[in-house]
Amino acid sequence: MKLFLLAILFSAITLTAFSQKPKKTLVAIKTEAPPKMDGVLDDAVWQNVPIATDFVELQPNAGNHEKQENRTTVKIIYDNTAIYVGARMYEKDPTKIAREFATRDQVGNADFIGIIFDTYKDGINGSGFFVTSTNGQFDAKYAPNPNGNTEDETWNAVWTSKVNIDSLGWTCEMKIPYSALRFAKKDVQTWGMNLIRKRQNVQQQLFWNELDPKMSGLMNQEGILTGLEKIVPPVRLAFYPYFSTYVNHYPYNTPGLANTTTSVNGGMDVKYGINESFTLDLTLIPDFGQVQSDNRILNLTPFEVKYNENRSFFTEGTELFNKGNLFYSRRVGGQPLHYNDITLNDHEAIIKNPTETKLINAVKLSGRLSNGLGIGIFNGLTNTAYATIEDSTTGNRRVVQTSPVTNYNIIVLDQNLKNNSAITFINTNVNRFGKDYSADVGGVVFNLNNKKNTYNLAGYGLMSNKFYKGEQTVTGYNYEVVFGKVAGNFTWNVSQDRVDSKYDPNDLGILFNNNYLEHNINLQYANYKPKHLFTQWNVWTNTYSSYRVSPSTYQYFNQNFGANGSFKNFWQVNINGHYRVEGNDFYEPRVVGRVFKAPQNFVLNWNLSTNRAKVLSGGFWYSDQWMANGHGGHGNDLELFYNVRLSNKFSFGQDITISPRINYTGFATFDNTGADVFALRNVHTVDNIFTLKYTFSSIMGLNLRLRHYWSKVNNKEFFSLGQDGYLTSLTSNDFNHNIDQNANIWNVDMIYVWQFSPGSELSLAWKNSTYTNTNIATQSYLRNLNDTVNQPQNNNFSLKVLYYIDFQSLRKHRKG
């Protein structure tokens, strides 16, 4: 409580000198004739147009205005079909312009210019369009979270750009059609807008309307664009038909089982602008076979592994559906519900058990009304999944349903409020056809700011229901409240998070465990204009405690701390750690109701990274971990990473992490009575990722990603778990199982992409993989790597063509 009162007092003092500067305004000019899209600003339509200039640094020296010899000037014109942006980036020495080539949505080591529109001028949501000095395109959506705005870089629009480099620097022209934007149907439009420039070689990031690092948020600090009159939202209808073909080879070398299989697929995505505000996204018979392979691991924890979503349909434009963290999109088309529940009879074996369910179709409807009400609807349908079981004595086969036809649904109502605030109502539903249960989660999410955007109150209240056929519904509750100061050099927040023992959102969301009550106090001080050594630095501390809700029991207490800074040579450093006292771990034991007395531990981490603009860049991350478990438990993590840019088209890099754990204790297996058996063990893990990139141009590139993961578990001594939570040694007569593990995971992902016209692309992919896990855990890393390479490999080759068809262009062509 003393820390809380001190935080309020300090924040009151620091806010007395804090105020937001007036916003800049730019007038857009209407033109009758569009400019020629060649990247050269010599068209007559660019003459006598107001300019946006005098950009202000955010990095490395916040608040500094751009120098005259390196100034930026931007003009905006428009007609009945599109917004046009003309920008000149002066550079005293044009040879210093960073010009690495990168394909769509990859900036690389290149200068860029960008514009972010806030078409509803709500200070919350935005659409960004960025162009690099090599004409690479990057676009993104911006949506709020309690700590500011998040960038959804997976959002893609169809627009055009051209750049030109000359003796004064470089220039850029963009054509952003109205079909790429959503805005209200008004005769006179006033939009929020900001312009961003990055000078990569000097790591300088500048904004037209100054972005104050002491303020929270991005969109609430935009400038203003006026002069837009009588622009009409067009019919937004586009089709994306695709064709794909696959060849898969695995050396089964088994009679009756083909080593090589082929398939041909076809489907289509549709984007339809129902009106000026709402867009319908539909995918029919989708194909995700070319997405990057998951970073699979040997999981020794009691919790599932959360994987990244690499399927574009589930990442693009989903900002509304991510409110309240209720949507884990990997559930849709994920592992069948009963994948691990198959019962085998004598002499039976599983010969086929799909790890994913087949997605039949999915649809998203999202948009925002002129009054600030955002509406989102998502629906996905997956097919039945079956496992095939064979009797080895008779050869008879039977099938077992592992997942029924399942419908996934989300409904979101998100109302923007004054002061960049919002309140959201969200409901997720999973309806399983047949005898399996269905599930529903819903509630309210809020994010409220005071008038000056200096204080924030955020959180949510949620309820989950599981509907079992013919049985009582199971209902659970979850809430979180966070209050704090979010502006100024000194910021803080306090929070409480309570999840009861019956709350379960995991049918469409992800929650590793429930039944807890957590409290947090976070304090941070940042200096954005230090005088020596650094361009900025900050220090922070966090006090965290956790209790079990039912029955009420202490779990953990952590004291966390850290500091990071950016040096004047553009290197970055980070130091952090935590101290945890002995706690009660209710999850490491796999028998429900048991507890493990987790020993106190101390962790200290160091990180250093070099200037990413250099030909050779990299860094390291090192962690030391000490555990007071009576056996001298000690762990380390050493991550080394580098990137070598041999030219503006060719680069390669590596990221290798070595993680030994010596004398750690954890759950190992069950004994014959079903009780928990723990082990004192050594675990050695190496995660090695190599990447190579050759970019032919801004629309064509080749990427290779190779990953080898190895984890070896050597169990040294076994223990039984006592009722008091402490461990007692087991003799060889009590337990004598060889349950060591030696896991090797190998993946190669190589893909060639050619964007042969805006919105259309051809891709060729090769995926190679293998997975092994044995109880022979005696070999070295290099021996395991050699053995893994020589294992039977699964090779998958694919070709996919996606074609963009714009209804407006099609209609004009027919009229012509």
Side-chain angles (χ1 to χ4, degrees):
M1 182 58 70
K2 289 182 180 180
L3 285 174
F4 178 70
L5 294 175
L6 178 62
I8 294 177
L9 177 61
F10 192 16
S11 64
I13 295 172
T14 56
L15 277 176
T16 56
F18 182 79
S19 61
Q20 187 175 0
K21 296 180 180 180
K23 294 185 175 184
K24 292 181 179 178
T25 300
L26 181 67
V27 179
I29 302 299
K30 191 165 188 177
T31 179
E32 295 300 324
K36 181 182 178 181
M37 293 298 295
D38 57 5
V40 181
L41 306 179
D42 57 359
D43 303 80
V45 296
W46 290 118
Q47 305 304 313
N48 302 316
V49 175
I51 63 170
T53 190
D54 189 26
F55 283 45
V56 183
E57 278 189 41
L58 177 65
Q59 300 284 353
N61 301 300
N64 287 356
H65 290 250
E66 62 183 353
K67 294 181 179 180
Q68 182 69 13
E69 63 265 28
N70 297 317
R71 67 190 183 279
T72 313
T73 61
V74 179
K75 301 177 181 180
I76 295 180
I77 60 178
Y78 68 98
D79 59 17
N80 293 327
T81 61
I83 296 272
Y84 302 90
V85 181
R88 162 149 309 269
M89 284 59 67
Y90 288 91
E91 195 67 49
K92 184 179 180 180
D93 182 1
T95 64
K96 300 295 185 182
I97 300 172
R99 308 178 194 180
E100 184 182 15
F101 283 88
T103 51
R104 178 71 187 238
D105 291 333
Q106 302 293 324
V107 172
N109 189 71
D111 288 13
F112 68 78
I113 184 71
I115 186 167
I116 300 179
F117 291 118
D118 174 9
T119 56
Y120 291 96
K121 204 176 180 298
D122 56 21
I124 299 177
N125 302 278
S127 302
F129 304 86
F130 303 83
V131 180
T132 72
S133 55
T134 58
N135 201 37
Q137 290 186 348
F138 176 93
D139 40 27
K141 283 277 193 180
Y142 297 87
N145 67 36
N147 298 313
N149 287 79
T150 56
E151 183 179 67
D152 175 14
E153 60 188 34
T154 62
W155 175 74
N156 284 318
V158 178
W159 50 288
T160 56
S161 63
K162 291 292 182 180
V163 301
N164 182 65
I165 296 177
D166 56 26
S167 61
L168 298 178
W170 65 289
T171 54
C172 170
E173 286 181 306
M174 303 185 210
K175 178 184 178 181
I176 304 170
Y178 297 135
S179 58
L181 298 166
R182 298 177 186 174
F183 51 90
K185 192 174 183 179
K186 297 179 180 178
D187 286 343
V188 178
Q189 302 272 344
T190 300
W191 294 356
M193 182 194 73
N194 215 340
L195 300 160
I196 306 166
R197 180 183 177 185
K198 181 69 177 288
R199 299 175 65 225
Q200 190 71 23
N201 278 327
V202 291
Q203 293 292 289
Q204 187 184 42
Q205 187 177 29
L206 307 108
F207 286 78
W208 169 59
N209 197 78
E210 181 176 357
L211 202 69
D212 191 333
K214 297 188 297 296
M215 283 192 66
S216 174
L218 170 68
M219 300 310 304
N220 53 307
Q221 299 190 66
E222 83 278 8
I224 299 172
L225 179 66
T226 65
L228 300 172
E229 297 182 359
K230 296 180 180 180
I231 60 174
V232 180
V235 175
R236 292 180 287 117
L237 176 59
F239 304 94
Y240 297 81
Y242 81 86
F243 164 83
S244 65
T245 181
Y246 290 82
V247 177
N248 195 87
H249 178 268
Y250 183 82
Y252 292 104
N253 298 326
T254 301
L257 195 59
N259 291 339
T260 302
T261 59
T262 61
S263 65
V264 176
N265 308 291
M268 184 168 61
D269 291 351
V270 179
K271 291 182 182 291
Y272 174 51
I274 297 175
N275 55 29
E276 68 270 13
S277 300
F278 292 93
T279 299
L280 178 73
D281 291 277
L282 176 66
T283 182
L284 300 170
I285 319 176
D287 177 10
F288 304 117
Q290 292 187 337
V291 300
Q292 180 180 297
S293 302
D294 289 328
N295 287 340
R296 296 174 62 191
I297 64 171
L298 175 63
N299 184 19
L300 300 177
T301 75
F303 310 116
E304 69 172 304
V305 178
K306 183 178 181 180
Y307 291 110
N308 293 331
E309 177 60 87
N310 297 318
R311 301 171 296 176
S312 59
F313 183 85
F314 292 97
T315 57
E316 180 183 340
T318 57
E319 63 273 6
L320 277 175
F321 305 109
N322 292 323
K323 303 282 186 176
N325 296 319
L326 291 181
F327 184 34
Y328 178 43
S329 57
R330 292 293 296 262
R331 300 292 187 210
V332 184
Q335 182 173 290
L337 180 66
H338 300 295
Y339 177 81
N340 295 310
D341 299 339
I342 300 172
T343 302
L344 298 176
N345 300 320
D346 292 340
H347 310 296
E348 284 189 330
I350 301 172
I351 62 172
K352 183 180 180 182
N353 191 11
T355 59
E356 298 177 349
T357 53
K358 180 67 174 178
L359 181 64
I360 300 174
N361 60 60
V363 61
K364 295 179 295 190
L365 171 66
S366 61
R368 192 171 295 275
L369 299 173
S370 58
N371 63 2
L373 176 63
I375 301 174
I377 299 174
F378 168 87
N379 197 83
L381 184 68
T382 59
N383 209 346
T384 312
Y386 295 95
T388 304
I389 300 168
E390 183 177 77
D391 190 309
S392 60
T393 58
T394 65
N396 294 332
R397 294 184 177 183
R398 62 186 177 97
V399 295
V400 176
Q401 186 184 98
T402 56
S403 184
V405 172
T406 306
N407 189 80
Y408 300 86
N409 181 264
I410 307 174
I411 298 176
V412 184
L413 300 174
D414 178 62
Q415 179 63 59
N416 291 340
L417 304 173
K418 291 182 179 180
N419 308 323
N420 312 111
S421 302
I423 186 168
T424 307
F425 296 91
I426 183 169
N427 182 265
T428 69
N429 179 270
V430 178
N431 185 26
R432 296 184 174 92
F433 297 88
K435 62 182 180 180
D436 287 300
Y437 73 91
S438 296
D440 181 274
V441 183
V444 61
V445 182
F446 57 90
N447 183 30
L448 308 174
N449 300 292
N450 66 332
K451 188 174 183 179
K452 293 184 177 181
N453 277 262
T454 52
Y455 286 89
N456 173 264
L457 175 66
Y460 49 76
L462 304 168
M463 179 178 70
S464 70
N465 290 289
K466 285 185 177 291
F467 305 101
Y468 293 90
K469 305 294 190 292
E471 299 180 23
Q472 187 175 1
T473 300
V474 178
T475 301
Y477 300 92
N478 172 22
Y479 74 79
E480 179 181 85
V481 179
V482 184
F483 175 71
K485 174 177 173 287
V486 294
N489 295 93
F490 177 70
T491 56
W492 56 266
N493 67 60
V494 293
S495 66
Q496 178 173 288
D497 189 356
R498 186 183 187 276
V499 182
D500 73 13
S501 59
K502 295 181 180 180
Y503 179 76
D504 184 358
N506 284 320
D507 292 277
L508 192 48
I510 186 167
L511 180 70
F512 294 120
N513 60 275
N514 56 17
N515 196 20
Y516 63 82
L517 175 66
E518 294 180 348
H519 296 91
N520 277 279
I521 300 177
N522 300 286
L523 306 174
Q524 176 176 283
Y525 181 82
N527 188 335
Y528 299 103
K529 293 186 177 182
K531 295 181 180 180
H532 306 289
L533 195 60
F534 294 95
T535 58
Q536 67 176 39
W537 57 262
N538 73 71
V539 294
W540 59 270
T541 184
N542 160 255
T543 304
Y544 159 83
S545 65
S546 177
Y547 294 83
R548 207 178 190 199
V549 172
S550 178
S552 180
T553 313
Y554 159 77
Q555 292 194 119
Y556 298 113
F557 177 86
N558 273 23
Q559 185 61 53
N560 309 305
F561 57 89
N564 61 73
S566 299
F567 292 103
K568 292 185 183 295
N569 65 352
F570 310 125
W571 288 35
Q572 294 183 331
V573 64
N574 177 40
I575 301 173
N576 64 77
H578 81 252
Y579 171 71
R580 172 177 286 185
V581 301
E582 183 181 80
N584 293 312
D585 189 337
F586 294 95
Y587 308 103
E588 187 64 23
R590 303 312 196 260
V591 176
V592 177
R594 302 300 300 276
V595 63
F596 169 56
K597 290 292 184 179
Q600 64 177 330
N601 66 83
F602 181 74
V603 177
L604 189 60
N605 307 313
W606 298 269
N607 170 253
L608 181 69
S609 57
T610 66
N611 184 355
R612 289 175 294 176
K614 299 297 183 181
V615 172
L616 172 63
S617 62
F620 74 88
W621 180 72
Y622 180 74
S623 175
D624 248 330
Q625 306 172 25
W626 297 271
M627 185 169 293
N629 60 359
H631 300 277
H634 183 234
N636 300 101
D637 291 290
L638 175 61
E639 179 184 12
L640 300 172
F641 52 93
Y642 69 86
N643 185 74
V644 180
R645 194 173 67 256
L646 297 178
S647 72
N648 283 329
K649 292 186 175 182
F650 182 42
S651 64
F652 66 89
Q654 191 170 13
D655 188 332
I656 181 168
T657 304
I658 304 170
S659 304
R661 298 287 185 270
I662 307 301
N663 290 336
Y664 268 48
T665 50
F667 171 82
T669 187
F670 297 103
D671 65 15
N672 294 332
T673 67
D676 292 292
V677 173
F678 276 57
L680 178 70
R681 61 199 181 199
N682 294 342
V683 182
H684 291 83
T685 302
V686 178
D687 195 353
N688 192 355
I689 301 173
F690 176 81
T691 58
L692 183 148
K693 181 184 72 170
Y694 191 90
T695 309
F696 302 93
S697 68
S698 61
I699 60 171
M700 184 187 300
L702 178 70
N703 287 275
L704 169 69
R705 183 179 188 270
L706 187 154
R707 176 179 184 253
H708 175 236
Y709 171 90
W710 169 63
S711 190
K712 178 177 70 171
V713 181
N714 294 110
N715 296 291
K716 302 165 64 176
E717 186 178 355
F718 294 103
F719 304 88
S720 63
L721 181 64
Q723 293 294 332
D724 58 358
Y726 293 100
L727 302 177
T728 303
S729 293
L730 289 170
T731 67
S732 59
N733 293 328
D734 296 324
F735 186 83
N736 188 21
H737 291 177
N738 181 8
I739 55 171
D740 290 351
Q741 297 190 66
N742 189 67
N744 285 274
I745 301 171
W746 171 272
N747 289 104
V748 177
D749 294 272
M750 186 169 71
I751 186 165
Y752 164 85
V753 176
W754 172 33
Q755 187 180 345
F756 56 87
S757 68
S760 303
E761 68 178 33
L762 178 149
S763 54
L764 289 165
W766 169 48
K767 302 181 74 172
N768 173 270
S769 63
T770 188
Y771 171 79
T772 60
N773 189 0
T774 71
N775 61 0
I776 303 174
T778 57
Q779 298 180 155
S780 66
Y781 171 74
L782 292 178
R783 182 64 181 271
N784 272 273
L785 176 59
N786 180 70
D787 289 349
T788 300
V789 172
N790 292 317
Q791 287 289 323
Q793 309 283 324
N794 187 79
N795 285 281
N796 184 278
F797 301 90
S798 62
L799 165 68
K800 184 175 181 180
V801 179
L802 177 73
Y803 193 75
Y804 168 71
I805 302 173
D806 178 47
F807 173 76
Q808 290 284 77
S809 299
L810 193 63
R811 185 168 63 176
K812 290 179 182 178
H813 179 72
R814 286 183 176 178
K815 287 182 178 180

